[in-house]
Structures are given as structure tokens and as C-alpha cells.
Amino acid sequence: MQVTKQQVSPTSVTLTVAADAAAMKEVKERVLRDLSKNVRLQGFRAGKAPLSVVEKNIDQQVFQNEFLDRMLNRLYAAAVDEQKLRPVAQPKVSITKFVPFTTLEVTLELQVVGDITLPDYTKFHLVPKKVTVGAKDVDEVLDNLRSRAADTADVTRAAKTGDQVVIDFTGTDAKTGEPISGADGKEYPLVLGSDSFIPGFEAELVGLKAGEHKAFTLTFPEDYGVAALQNRRVTFDTTVQKVQSVAKPKLDDGFAAKVGPFKTLAELKADIQKQVRAEREQQTQRDYESELLENLAKKTKVAIPKVLVDEEIERAEQDERQNLLYRGQTWEEHLKAEGVSESEHREKQRPAAELRVKAGLVLSEVAEQEGITVTPEELEIRMQLLKGQYTDKTMQAEFDKPETRRDIMSRLLSEKTIARLAKYATA
């Protein structure tokens, strides 16, 4: 096989590949052997006729098509491997020369990842943040548990901080008066002073009685979780259906026994501290790994094909659409709230998408440079652990699919590579 490479752009390559005679002879014979299994020739058992006889008695168009299909796959894989390319999509293939079974030359137009230049990751340092759990953290969990177990009773007086109110509310844009999806609720229970709504909302309801109505305008915080509502002025039209007093249970050993297998309040507090610490450690570790990988990606030089970033944007948009659906907001409403067109929204996502793609390439390149692999034993152990989490046979069967095994292997490789980077970063 002879390969000539033309670098059209940092992410576009054209390969001219000429097959050698030995490879074509081998593929030709394999195709004939496979086709002979379905050819019946007088005087020969199925699949036993000489290949020269089979060749004369089969459909030549079928023969050539099968030969070309196999040769193209073989040439493509060999050429990509020889040139050490990272293709990101199916190539555009053109057959430039073909004399049946003796001469074959093709051109392959490829979109590829450009050369990757990593920073010296062995000297990159990043110290993980320390995890602390104080008495205040434990008290917050205890208060939440007490709130869940609290008894409520309807009252006729005005609501005060600490009461629970059951409200109906709608939110509209303060300028246009248009309804805002996700800013409304029916018979919603809200404990005043819990700070579970945006700042100022709960304070507006203090002093109201059951059956009373109030409209007020608030500005959503600039760091609000929903981007479309950040810094947005919204008018809430609110009706109080009920005002209820809240009687929390006494915080003692008896309460501890009710909420879990604890004999004393001290045991409950110790368990809460343990659980909170474990959750924070896991989150801190995830944040640390993300920061480490992001910092390395920012310092890595690589030309990324547009199609790869477009696919990443598409995946992110699918997740975003799903979240909007869960909140009861349409994609069109979301775009309108942000004041952008669909194409403008996609372009806003491009920098972050490029960084995520680059991070994935960093992991792949580091794994290759460090010789990090996943052994069959490691994969099997992980597969068995995952299967053990499900009792449903249908779910367990999913783990036996080749694509699932490949996905799990990819995750394992990423985990091992990130662990290696973290080892360098904390040395």
C-alpha cells in the first residue's frame, strides 16, 4: 500500500491510497470463498468448487461490489493508522483507478483532529480544597428533618415568620406583562423564613391572612440558576389559601429514634456529619477533577474540526431541552426569554463546547503518552459491580451489549487517566 498525504487545512486531509497486489489477491480470494457458500455448481458440493470455477459462475457486479467494499474498508483503516490520524466523521471516498482485482487507487477526504500539543502536565500543580463540616451544617440538616416531621394546623390570624402558607401564584414580566413559564404554582406550601424562594418573596407574605391577595414585583438574583430569569423583574400575583402554624418535634433522643436506627441524638448527629462529609468529599473531588482537566485543556493547542464541536453543542442542547420540558417551558419560550435566535443560542454555547471537546482530547492524548490502558479484568469487575446495582433482568442485559461495554471501558480509561493527572498535580 502506498499513501500520499495532502494537508488541505489543519483539520482537513486528503489521502491518495494505492493498494498492493498481494492485498487485493487476498481480499479477492476471501470474497470468492464467502460467495461460493451460496453458489450451487453441478458436480461440486456447496462451498467446495475451485475458486476459479466459482469466479466464472457468479454475478460479476456483486463480486466487484463486495471486493471494493472490503478493500476500501481495509485501505481506510490501514491509511489512517499509518498516518496516525484522528478522523471525526466518515470520509468522502472517490475511486480514481480500478482495474478489476489488479489495480485500485482511491482518494479519501477526511475531517481530522489536528496535532495535539499538551502542556507539561507532569509539572502542573493543583491542590484539592479541604472539606470541612461544622456544627452549623449538622444543625441545618436537623432543622430540615424536624420541618419534615412537623405538625401543621390551620390558623385564622395573619401569617408570621415560621408559619407555613399555602399559596397560588403567577409570575409575569414586569415590563411586558407576559406570563413567565415556570414562575407559577397552585396550592404551593411555603414556610416563611425558609429562604426557599428568591430574596424578598417570603417577606411579602408576612402579615397576610387566608383568602387575601397581594401583587408585588421582585428582581431575580444575577446568579439565579435559570439564565433566562437572571436580573429579570417579575411581578407576582399571589393569593394565600391557608395560613398554618408549624410545630416542630422536640430535638431529643426520641426524635433520633423516629428518623432512623439511632438510640441517641448524639448518634444521629454523628451520622449526619458522616453523610454530609462523604457528599462534600465526592463533590469536591468532582470539582477538583473538572478544574484540573479544564486548566490543562486551556493550555493545550489543537485544531478541532467544526463538526466535532457542533455535535457537542447538539448534545448540550438536547440536555437543555429536556430540563426545560421538566420545568414546563418550551424551547421557543426559552429562546424568547433570553432574547436570542436559535443560531445565536448555539454560538453562545460554542466556547464551552470547544473546551469540553478539548478536555476529552487531552484525556485521550495523555492516556496514549502514559500508556494507560484498561485490562479485561478491570472491565469485567466494573461490569459486575454495575450489574449488581440492578435486579431487573432487562437492565442487566443492557450491560452485555457491545456498545455499553465500550462506553464503560471509555469511562474507566478516563478515570484512570484523571487519577494519573491528579497524582502529578498533588505530588
Side-chain angles (χ1 to χ4, degrees):
M1 180 185 71
Q2 293 182 335
V3 182
T4 303
K5 176 183 173 184
Q6 180 186 3
Q7 192 78 44
V8 180
S9 75
T11 60
S12 181
V13 171
T14 297
L15 301 179
T16 302
V17 188
D20 58 68
M24 286 188 285
K25 181 181 178 182
E26 179 188 341
V27 170
K28 176 185 177 181
E29 290 178 353
R30 286 185 180 180
V31 172
L32 284 172
R33 278 195 294 270
D34 290 343
L35 292 177
S36 70
K37 297 174 184 178
N38 299 315
V39 175
R40 296 190 179 279
L41 298 174
Q42 189 173 0
F44 298 98
R45 287 182 297 166
K48 298 299 182 180
L51 296 184
S52 59
V53 176
V54 173
E55 183 175 355
K56 295 177 181 179
N57 289 273
I58 58 176
D59 186 316
Q60 293 302 302
Q61 190 63 52
V62 172
F63 180 25
Q64 287 191 24
N65 288 343
E66 184 64 23
F67 171 82
L68 286 172
D69 187 53
R70 295 194 191 187
M71 278 302 304
L72 290 174
N73 287 334
R74 180 167 176 162
L75 291 175
Y76 170 68
V80 166
D81 184 60
E82 178 185 299
Q83 297 295 318
K84 302 186 185 305
L85 300 175
R86 300 172 188 258
V88 298
Q90 289 297 315
K92 181 180 178 182
V93 181
S94 301
I95 299 176
T96 51
K97 293 180 184 178
F98 180 52
V99 177
F101 318 119
T102 60
T103 302
L104 177 61
E105 182 183 276
V106 300
T107 59
L108 307 171
E109 296 179 31
L110 303 169
Q111 291 296 307
V112 298
V113 174
D115 293 334
I116 300 176
T117 304
L118 293 172
D120 187 352
Y121 54 84
T122 64
K123 295 180 180 178
F124 189 89
H125 296 288
L126 183 66
V127 179
K129 295 178 181 178
K130 293 183 178 180
V131 174
T132 59
V133 180
K136 182 181 178 181
D137 301 310
V138 176
D139 289 342
E140 286 180 357
V141 176
L142 284 172
D143 191 58
N144 184 265
L145 290 173
R146 291 175 67 204
S147 295
R148 292 183 193 176
D151 292 323
T152 59
D154 293 350
V155 295
T156 57
R157 59 172 172 76
K160 62 182 181 180
T161 299
D163 286 341
Q164 176 171 278
V165 292
V166 179
I167 59 174
D168 295 341
F169 63 97
T170 58
T172 57
D173 187 284
K175 290 184 179 180
T176 66
E178 294 183 1
I180 296 177
S181 180
D184 56 358
K186 281 280 188 182
E187 297 184 355
Y188 191 94
L190 175 64
V191 175
L192 303 183
S194 63
D195 295 328
S196 55
F197 269 35
I198 66 170
F201 188 98
E202 294 166 24
E204 292 286 350
L205 304 182
V206 172
L208 297 183
K209 295 181 178 180
E212 292 186 336
H213 162 269
K214 186 175 184 180
F216 49 90
T217 300
L218 298 173
T219 301
F220 275 77
E222 61 180 12
D223 60 349
Y224 192 68
V226 180
L229 293 176
Q230 292 173 357
N231 290 319
R232 193 169 182 182
R233 287 183 61 76
V234 175
T235 298
F236 291 97
D237 198 312
T238 309
T239 299
V240 177
Q241 300 291 351
K242 295 180 182 179
V243 176
Q244 299 174 319
S245 62
V246 178
K248 296 181 180 180
K250 186 178 179 182
L251 196 58
D252 56 16
D253 293 345
F255 172 74
K258 286 182 179 179
V259 298
F262 310 106
K263 294 181 179 179
T264 65
L265 180 60
E267 287 182 5
L268 172 59
K269 288 183 176 181
D271 185 74
I272 290 172
Q273 187 173 48
K274 179 181 176 181
Q275 295 297 329
V276 172
R277 178 175 292 279
E279 291 174 5
R280 289 188 178 178
E281 286 176 346
Q282 290 177 5
Q283 185 59 52
T284 299
Q285 182 63 23
R286 286 193 293 268
D287 293 342
Y288 172 78
E289 292 173 355
S290 295
E291 184 180 358
L292 174 61
L293 196 53
E294 183 177 311
N295 288 343
L296 288 173
K298 287 179 178 178
K299 297 177 183 296
T300 296
K301 296 179 180 179
V302 57
I304 304 173
K306 182 175 181 294
V307 64
L308 210 57
V309 180
D310 287 343
E311 289 174 356
E312 179 62 28
I313 292 173
E314 184 64 32
R315 281 191 289 270
E317 280 195 354
Q318 288 299 324
D319 291 341
E320 192 175 8
R321 287 172 185 266
Q322 192 64 37
N323 290 334
L324 289 170
L325 187 64
Y326 179 76
R327 296 203 303 265
Q329 188 177 25
T330 67
W331 184 243
E332 291 71 23
E333 289 172 337
H334 174 63
L335 293 177
K336 186 176 181 181
E338 286 199 344
V340 295
S341 65
E342 189 160 10
S343 61
E344 289 171 336
H345 182 275
R346 290 179 68 85
E347 288 309 304
K348 283 177 62 178
Q349 313 306 313
R350 191 166 295 279
E354 286 182 352
L355 192 59
R356 289 195 298 272
V357 170
K358 191 184 284 190
L361 294 172
V362 167
L363 283 178
S364 177
E365 186 70 8
V366 171
E368 184 174 334
Q369 290 192 15
E370 292 285 315
I372 300 172
T373 59
V374 176
T375 66
E377 292 77 16
E378 289 173 326
L379 176 60
E380 197 56 40
I381 290 171
R382 177 62 63 87
M383 297 302 296
Q384 292 304 318
L385 287 172
L386 290 171
K387 282 184 177 181
Q389 296 176 11
Y390 299 91
T391 56
D392 182 71
K393 291 184 178 179
T394 303
M395 278 301 301
Q396 289 188 339
E398 286 291 317
F399 290 105
D400 293 326
K401 293 182 178 180
E403 58 269 26
T404 303
R405 295 181 69 87
R406 285 195 297 270
D407 182 56
I408 301 303
M409 178 174 283
S410 178
R411 291 186 205 174
L412 268 171
L413 185 61
S414 294
E415 289 173 11
K416 293 181 71 174
T417 307
I418 290 174
R420 181 72 59 84
L421 289 171
K423 183 178 179 180
Y424 287 130
T426 54

